[in-house]
mmCIF file of all heavy atoms in Angstrom:
data_model
loop_
_atom_site.group_PDB
_atom_site.id
_atom_site.type_symbol
_atom_site.label_atom_id
_atom_site.label_comp_id
_atom_site.label_asym_id
_atom_site.label_seq_id
_atom_site.Cartn_x
_atom_site.Cartn_y
_atom_site.Cartn_z
ATOM 1 N N LYS A 51 -2.074 3.909 11.595
ATOM 2 C CA LYS A 51 -1.592 3.021 10.539
ATOM 3 C C LYS A 51 -0.067 2.958 10.519
ATOM 4 O O LYS A 51 0.527 1.905 10.469
ATOM 5 C CB LYS A 51 -2.088 3.517 9.190
ATOM 6 C CG LYS A 51 -3.571 3.294 8.964
ATOM 7 C CD LYS A 51 -3.998 3.948 7.672
ATOM 8 C CE LYS A 51 -5.495 3.972 7.506
ATOM 9 N NZ LYS A 51 -6.091 2.648 7.311
ATOM 10 N N ASP A 72 3.521 -0.203 4.250
ATOM 11 C CA ASP A 72 3.151 -0.817 2.975
ATOM 12 C C ASP A 72 3.115 0.255 1.887
ATOM 13 O O ASP A 72 3.612 1.376 2.094
ATOM 14 C CB ASP A 72 1.811 -1.563 3.104
ATOM 15 C CG ASP A 72 0.633 -0.634 3.415
ATOM 16 O OD1 ASP A 72 0.835 0.604 3.458
ATOM 17 O OD2 ASP A 72 -0.488 -1.132 3.612
ATOM 18 N N HIS A 74 0.854 2.062 0.969
ATOM 19 C CA HIS A 74 0.089 3.246 1.357
ATOM 20 C C HIS A 74 0.882 4.165 2.291
ATOM 21 O O HIS A 74 0.812 5.384 2.187
ATOM 22 C CB HIS A 74 -1.214 2.807 2.040
ATOM 23 C CG HIS A 74 -2.145 3.951 2.302
ATOM 24 N ND1 HIS A 74 -2.669 4.722 1.287
ATOM 25 C CD2 HIS A 74 -2.631 4.468 3.455
ATOM 26 C CE1 HIS A 74 -3.442 5.667 1.808
ATOM 27 N NE2 HIS A 74 -3.426 5.537 3.113
ATOM 28 N N TYR A 103 4.462 -4.717 10.404
ATOM 29 C CA TYR A 103 4.370 -5.281 9.052
ATOM 30 C C TYR A 103 5.210 -4.458 8.091
ATOM 31 O O TYR A 103 5.252 -3.230 8.204
ATOM 32 C CB TYR A 103 2.904 -5.263 8.597
ATOM 33 C CG TYR A 103 2.701 -5.766 7.187
ATOM 34 C CD1 TYR A 103 2.605 -7.126 6.912
ATOM 35 C CD2 TYR A 103 2.610 -4.876 6.117
ATOM 36 C CE1 TYR A 103 2.435 -7.587 5.611
ATOM 37 C CE2 TYR A 103 2.441 -5.328 4.817
ATOM 38 C CZ TYR A 103 2.358 -6.685 4.580
ATOM 39 O OH TYR A 103 2.193 -7.125 3.295
ATOM 40 N N SER A 106 7.332 -4.821 0.250
ATOM 41 C CA SER A 106 8.450 -4.371 -0.587
ATOM 42 C C SER A 106 8.446 -2.853 -0.774
ATOM 43 O O SER A 106 9.501 -2.256 -1.000
ATOM 44 C CB SER A 106 8.435 -5.072 -1.940
ATOM 45 O OG SER A 106 7.361 -4.603 -2.725
ATOM 46 N N MET A 113 16.199 1.262 -0.028
ATOM 47 C CA MET A 113 17.030 1.099 -1.227
ATOM 48 C C MET A 113 17.187 2.424 -1.973
ATOM 49 O O MET A 113 18.230 2.700 -2.555
ATOM 50 C CB MET A 113 16.396 0.066 -2.170
ATOM 51 C CG MET A 113 16.429 -1.350 -1.667
ATOM 52 S SD MET A 113 18.081 -1.965 -1.380
ATOM 53 C CE MET A 113 18.622 -2.267 -3.061
ATOM 54 N N THR B 251 -4.485 2.157 -2.475
ATOM 55 C CA THR B 251 -3.516 1.658 -1.484
ATOM 56 C C THR B 251 -4.073 1.634 -0.063
ATOM 57 O O THR B 251 -3.659 0.819 0.755
ATOM 58 C CB THR B 251 -2.213 2.489 -1.481
ATOM 59 O OG1 THR B 251 -2.540 3.862 -1.297
ATOM 60 C CG2 THR B 251 -1.410 2.297 -2.738
ATOM 61 N N GLU B 255 -4.592 -2.658 3.754
ATOM 62 C CA GLU B 255 -4.716 -3.144 5.138
ATOM 63 C C GLU B 255 -5.926 -4.086 5.252
ATOM 64 O O GLU B 255 -5.857 -5.149 5.883
ATOM 65 C CB GLU B 255 -4.892 -1.929 6.068
ATOM 66 C CG GLU B 255 -4.985 -2.300 7.522
ATOM 67 C CD GLU B 255 -5.297 -1.090 8.406
ATOM 68 O OE1 GLU B 255 -5.678 -0.029 7.877
ATOM 69 O OE2 GLU B 255 -5.175 -1.228 9.629
ATOM 70 N N ARG B 258 -5.201 -7.402 3.547
ATOM 71 C CA ARG B 258 -4.338 -8.259 4.381
ATOM 72 C C ARG B 258 -5.137 -8.890 5.508
ATOM 73 O O ARG B 258 -4.935 -10.050 5.862
ATOM 74 C CB ARG B 258 -3.171 -7.444 4.954
ATOM 75 C CG ARG B 258 -2.150 -7.013 3.924
ATOM 76 C CD ARG B 258 -0.853 -6.560 4.581
ATOM 77 N NE ARG B 258 -1.013 -5.452 5.492
ATOM 78 C CZ ARG B 258 -0.947 -4.162 5.135
ATOM 79 N NH1 ARG B 258 -0.745 -3.849 3.878
ATOM 80 N NH2 ARG B 258 -1.082 -3.207 6.035
ATOM 81 N N ASP B 283 -0.469 -8.988 -0.654
ATOM 82 C CA ASP B 283 -0.261 -7.538 -0.595
ATOM 83 C C ASP B 283 0.540 -7.078 -1.821
ATOM 84 O O ASP B 283 0.189 -6.107 -2.496
ATOM 85 C CB ASP B 283 0.482 -7.204 0.709
ATOM 86 C CG ASP B 283 0.821 -5.722 0.856
ATOM 87 O OD1 ASP B 283 1.251 -5.095 -0.130
ATOM 88 O OD2 ASP B 283 0.684 -5.187 1.966
ATOM 89 N N GLU B 284 1.610 -7.832 -2.128
ATOM 90 C CA GLU B 284 2.472 -7.462 -3.258
ATOM 91 C C GLU B 284 1.700 -7.521 -4.578
ATOM 92 O O GLU B 284 1.817 -6.621 -5.415
ATOM 93 C CB GLU B 284 3.698 -8.381 -3.328
ATOM 94 C CG GLU B 284 4.621 -8.334 -2.105
ATOM 95 C CD GLU B 284 5.311 -6.986 -1.920
ATOM 96 O OE1 GLU B 284 5.280 -6.150 -2.849
ATOM 97 O OE2 GLU B 284 5.870 -6.753 -0.835
#
Side-chain angles (χ1 to χ4, degrees):
Chain A
K51 288 174 190 292
D72 64 4
H74 188 62
Y103 177 83
S106 71
M113 291 300 284
Chain B
T251 54
E255 182 186 13
R258 290 196 301 271
D283 177 318
E284 298 294 347

